[in-house]
Amino acid sequence: MALKMDLHVHTIFSPDALITRKDLILYAKKRGLDGVAITDHDSLDGALKIAKETDFLIVPGMEISSLEGHIIGLDVNELVPPRLSVDETLDRIHEAGGLAVACHPVTFFKESLKRRISPRFDAIEVINASAFPFNYSVTRSEEIASRLGIARVAGSDAHYGPEIGYAHTLVDAESEIDEIVMAIRKGLCSPHGKAIPLTMRLKKELLLLKRKFG
Ligand SMILES: [Zn+2]
Ligand SMILES: [Zn+2]
């Protein structure tokens, strides 16, 4: 049976996110997910901490700010530093035993790799539920994935609990991190999902402002 995984979720360990451990598990279960990848900005601490504290399936990862766009490292066993070139970042992810995902490769308002995607990536995040404009982003990312013959994945890029699960990857694997990573490497996965509604995004922005200014 395929596992339903949201492979791109931020927690309060990212400066711009509101999701606590409690929210994460609550909404992941509510959406019928079998697991999530925690991918905080340039930090692995939250992912490792939460993975240790819960029985829910967590793939520890991080979203790395490379010099030329964001790159997700899944199942990395050590911190990959930000502000390296794409090639150096990919080397570091692979040295750390991880899987490199070109997240939101074509979108506005995010640090996107666009033309810098190569077959050195293990997967492309074809569906990112926070991407804008959503349909354009999915179509273009889909084109890149087929041109390069790379595995396709999806994630919500949630920064706020209710956003979790708007996109998910179906992974043909047993419920073990190693198995999941191996299945994605082989392309035994498919992306699914839709855009996070605008009203929900606005609510998140308001909550973030409230947190910032009290
Ligand atoms: Zn990003
Ligand atoms: Zn993100």
Short mmCIF file of all heavy atoms in Angstrom, two decimals, residues 156-184:
data_model
loop_
_atom_site.label_atom_id
_atom_site.label_comp_id
_atom_site.label_asym_id
_atom_site.label_seq_id
_atom_site.Cartn_x
_atom_site.Cartn_y
_atom_site.Cartn_z
N SER A 156 3.26 20.47 0.85
CA SER A 156 2.41 21.65 1.06
C SER A 156 3.23 22.92 1.24
O SER A 156 2.77 24.00 0.92
CB SER A 156 1.54 21.45 2.29
OG SER A 156 2.35 21.31 3.45
N ASP A 157 4.47 22.80 1.75
CA ASP A 157 5.26 23.97 2.15
C ASP A 157 4.50 24.73 3.25
O ASP A 157 4.54 25.95 3.32
CB ASP A 157 5.55 24.88 0.95
CG ASP A 157 6.82 25.71 1.12
OD1 ASP A 157 7.41 25.68 2.22
OD2 ASP A 157 7.21 26.39 0.14
N ALA A 158 3.80 23.95 4.09
CA ALA A 158 2.98 24.55 5.15
C ALA A 158 3.85 25.29 6.16
O ALA A 158 4.91 24.81 6.56
CB ALA A 158 2.19 23.46 5.87
N HIS A 159 3.37 26.49 6.55
CA HIS A 159 4.00 27.25 7.64
C HIS A 159 2.99 27.44 8.77
O HIS A 159 3.28 28.05 9.78
CB HIS A 159 4.46 28.62 7.13
CG HIS A 159 5.70 28.55 6.27
ND1 HIS A 159 5.71 27.98 5.01
CD2 HIS A 159 6.97 28.99 6.48
CE1 HIS A 159 6.93 28.08 4.50
NE2 HIS A 159 7.71 28.69 5.37
N TYR A 160 1.76 26.94 8.56
CA TYR A 160 0.63 27.14 9.47
C TYR A 160 -0.14 25.81 9.46
O TYR A 160 -0.39 25.25 8.38
CB TYR A 160 -0.17 28.32 8.92
CG TYR A 160 -1.53 28.60 9.49
CD1 TYR A 160 -1.75 28.60 10.87
CD2 TYR A 160 -2.59 28.92 8.65
CE1 TYR A 160 -3.01 28.89 11.38
CE2 TYR A 160 -3.85 29.22 9.15
CZ TYR A 160 -4.06 29.20 10.51
OH TYR A 160 -5.29 29.49 11.01
N GLY A 161 -0.51 25.32 10.66
CA GLY A 161 -1.11 23.99 10.80
C GLY A 161 -2.13 23.58 9.73
O GLY A 161 -1.97 22.55 9.08
N PRO A 162 -3.20 24.41 9.55
CA PRO A 162 -4.24 24.00 8.60
C PRO A 162 -3.74 23.84 7.16
O PRO A 162 -4.45 23.25 6.33
CB PRO A 162 -5.26 25.15 8.70
CG PRO A 162 -5.05 25.72 10.06
CD PRO A 162 -3.57 25.59 10.33
N GLU A 163 -2.55 24.34 6.84
CA GLU A 163 -2.03 24.21 5.46
C GLU A 163 -1.43 22.82 5.19
O GLU A 163 -1.22 22.44 4.04
CB GLU A 163 -0.93 25.26 5.21
CG GLU A 163 -1.43 26.68 5.26
CD GLU A 163 -0.32 27.71 5.10
OE1 GLU A 163 0.86 27.40 5.41
OE2 GLU A 163 -0.62 28.84 4.69
N ILE A 164 -1.19 22.08 6.27
CA ILE A 164 -0.55 20.76 6.12
C ILE A 164 -1.43 19.84 5.28
O ILE A 164 -2.65 19.81 5.45
CB ILE A 164 -0.29 20.12 7.51
CG1 ILE A 164 0.77 20.93 8.27
CG2 ILE A 164 0.14 18.66 7.39
CD1 ILE A 164 0.97 20.52 9.72
N GLY A 165 -0.82 19.11 4.36
CA GLY A 165 -1.54 18.09 3.60
C GLY A 165 -2.26 18.59 2.36
O GLY A 165 -2.88 17.80 1.67
N TYR A 166 -2.18 19.89 2.04
CA TYR A 166 -2.80 20.36 0.79
C TYR A 166 -2.15 19.71 -0.43
O TYR A 166 -2.77 19.60 -1.49
CB TYR A 166 -2.79 21.90 0.69
CG TYR A 166 -4.09 22.47 1.19
CD1 TYR A 166 -4.29 22.71 2.54
CD2 TYR A 166 -5.15 22.69 0.32
CE1 TYR A 166 -5.50 23.17 3.02
CE2 TYR A 166 -6.38 23.14 0.78
CZ TYR A 166 -6.55 23.38 2.12
OH TYR A 166 -7.76 23.82 2.58
N ALA A 167 -0.90 19.28 -0.27
CA ALA A 167 -0.28 18.45 -1.30
C ALA A 167 0.41 17.29 -0.61
O ALA A 167 0.83 17.40 0.55
CB ALA A 167 0.73 19.26 -2.11
N HIS A 168 0.47 16.16 -1.30
CA HIS A 168 1.15 15.00 -0.72
C HIS A 168 1.74 14.13 -1.82
O HIS A 168 1.34 14.22 -2.98
CB HIS A 168 0.18 14.18 0.14
CG HIS A 168 -0.91 13.53 -0.66
ND1 HIS A 168 -2.12 14.12 -0.90
CD2 HIS A 168 -0.94 12.34 -1.30
CE1 HIS A 168 -2.86 13.33 -1.64
NE2 HIS A 168 -2.17 12.24 -1.91
N THR A 169 2.70 13.33 -1.42
CA THR A 169 3.33 12.38 -2.34
C THR A 169 2.86 10.98 -1.95
O THR A 169 2.88 10.65 -0.76
CB THR A 169 4.87 12.44 -2.20
OG1 THR A 169 5.28 13.81 -2.30
CG2 THR A 169 5.56 11.63 -3.28
N LEU A 170 2.42 10.20 -2.92
CA LEU A 170 2.14 8.80 -2.63
C LEU A 170 3.43 8.03 -2.89
O LEU A 170 3.98 8.08 -4.00
CB LEU A 170 1.02 8.26 -3.52
CG LEU A 170 -0.41 8.67 -3.17
CD1 LEU A 170 -1.40 8.04 -4.14
CD2 LEU A 170 -0.77 8.29 -1.72
N VAL A 171 3.94 7.37 -1.87
CA VAL A 171 5.20 6.65 -1.99
C VAL A 171 4.95 5.16 -1.83
O VAL A 171 4.33 4.74 -0.84
CB VAL A 171 6.21 7.12 -0.91
CG1 VAL A 171 7.58 6.49 -1.17
CG2 VAL A 171 6.33 8.62 -0.88
N ASP A 172 5.43 4.40 -2.79
CA ASP A 172 5.21 2.96 -2.78
C ASP A 172 6.29 2.31 -1.92
O ASP A 172 7.31 1.84 -2.42
CB ASP A 172 5.27 2.46 -4.23
CG ASP A 172 4.70 1.07 -4.36
OD1 ASP A 172 4.25 0.50 -3.35
OD2 ASP A 172 4.73 0.54 -5.49
N ALA A 173 6.09 2.34 -0.59
CA ALA A 173 7.12 1.83 0.32
C ALA A 173 6.51 1.42 1.65
O ALA A 173 5.38 1.80 1.96
CB ALA A 173 8.17 2.91 0.57
N GLU A 174 7.29 0.67 2.41
CA GLU A 174 6.90 0.35 3.79
C GLU A 174 7.15 1.61 4.63
O GLU A 174 7.87 2.52 4.22
CB GLU A 174 7.77 -0.78 4.33
CG GLU A 174 7.65 -2.10 3.58
CD GLU A 174 6.25 -2.69 3.67
OE1 GLU A 174 5.68 -2.63 4.77
OE2 GLU A 174 5.74 -3.19 2.65
N SER A 175 6.55 1.61 5.82
CA SER A 175 6.62 2.78 6.67
C SER A 175 7.96 2.91 7.40
O SER A 175 8.03 2.94 8.62
CB SER A 175 5.47 2.70 7.67
OG SER A 175 5.37 3.88 8.37
N GLU A 176 9.05 2.97 6.65
CA GLU A 176 10.41 3.12 7.21
C GLU A 176 11.11 4.20 6.40
O GLU A 176 10.99 4.23 5.17
CB GLU A 176 11.21 1.82 6.99
CG GLU A 176 10.72 0.62 7.76
CD GLU A 176 11.07 0.71 9.23
OE1 GLU A 176 12.03 1.44 9.57
OE2 GLU A 176 10.37 0.05 10.02
N ILE A 177 11.88 5.04 7.08
CA ILE A 177 12.53 6.15 6.37
C ILE A 177 13.41 5.66 5.22
O ILE A 177 13.34 6.17 4.11
CB ILE A 177 13.33 7.02 7.37
CG1 ILE A 177 12.37 7.67 8.37
CG2 ILE A 177 14.13 8.09 6.64
CD1 ILE A 177 13.05 8.41 9.49
N ASP A 178 14.23 4.64 5.49
CA ASP A 178 15.14 4.14 4.44
C ASP A 178 14.38 3.66 3.21
O ASP A 178 14.79 3.90 2.08
CB ASP A 178 15.95 2.94 4.97
CG ASP A 178 16.93 3.36 6.04
OD1 ASP A 178 17.07 4.58 6.26
OD2 ASP A 178 17.57 2.46 6.63
N GLU A 179 13.27 2.97 3.47
CA GLU A 179 12.46 2.43 2.37
C GLU A 179 11.83 3.56 1.56
O GLU A 179 11.77 3.50 0.33
CB GLU A 179 11.32 1.56 2.93
CG GLU A 179 11.78 0.40 3.78
CD GLU A 179 12.04 -0.84 2.94
OE1 GLU A 179 11.34 -0.99 1.93
OE2 GLU A 179 12.94 -1.61 3.29
N ILE A 180 11.39 4.58 2.27
CA ILE A 180 10.74 5.73 1.61
C ILE A 180 11.74 6.44 0.71
O ILE A 180 11.47 6.73 -0.46
CB ILE A 180 10.16 6.69 2.67
CG1 ILE A 180 8.98 6.00 3.39
CG2 ILE A 180 9.72 8.01 2.05
CD1 ILE A 180 8.54 6.68 4.66
N VAL A 181 12.92 6.68 1.26
CA VAL A 181 13.96 7.38 0.50
C VAL A 181 14.36 6.57 -0.73
O VAL A 181 14.49 7.10 -1.83
CB VAL A 181 15.17 7.67 1.42
CG1 VAL A 181 16.38 8.11 0.63
CG2 VAL A 181 14.79 8.72 2.47
N MET A 182 14.49 5.27 -0.54
CA MET A 182 14.88 4.41 -1.66
C MET A 182 13.80 4.40 -2.74
O MET A 182 14.11 4.47 -3.94
CB MET A 182 15.12 2.99 -1.15
CG MET A 182 16.18 2.25 -1.98
SD MET A 182 16.15 0.49 -1.68
CE MET A 182 16.36 0.39 0.08
N ALA A 183 12.54 4.35 -2.33
CA ALA A 183 11.43 4.34 -3.29
C ALA A 183 11.41 5.65 -4.10
O ALA A 183 11.21 5.62 -5.32
CB ALA A 183 10.11 4.13 -2.56
N ILE A 184 11.65 6.77 -3.44
CA ILE A 184 11.65 8.05 -4.17
C ILE A 184 12.81 8.08 -5.16
O ILE A 184 12.66 8.49 -6.31
CB ILE A 184 11.72 9.26 -3.20
CG1 ILE A 184 10.49 9.28 -2.29
CG2 ILE A 184 11.84 10.57 -3.97
CD1 ILE A 184 10.53 10.32 -1.18
#
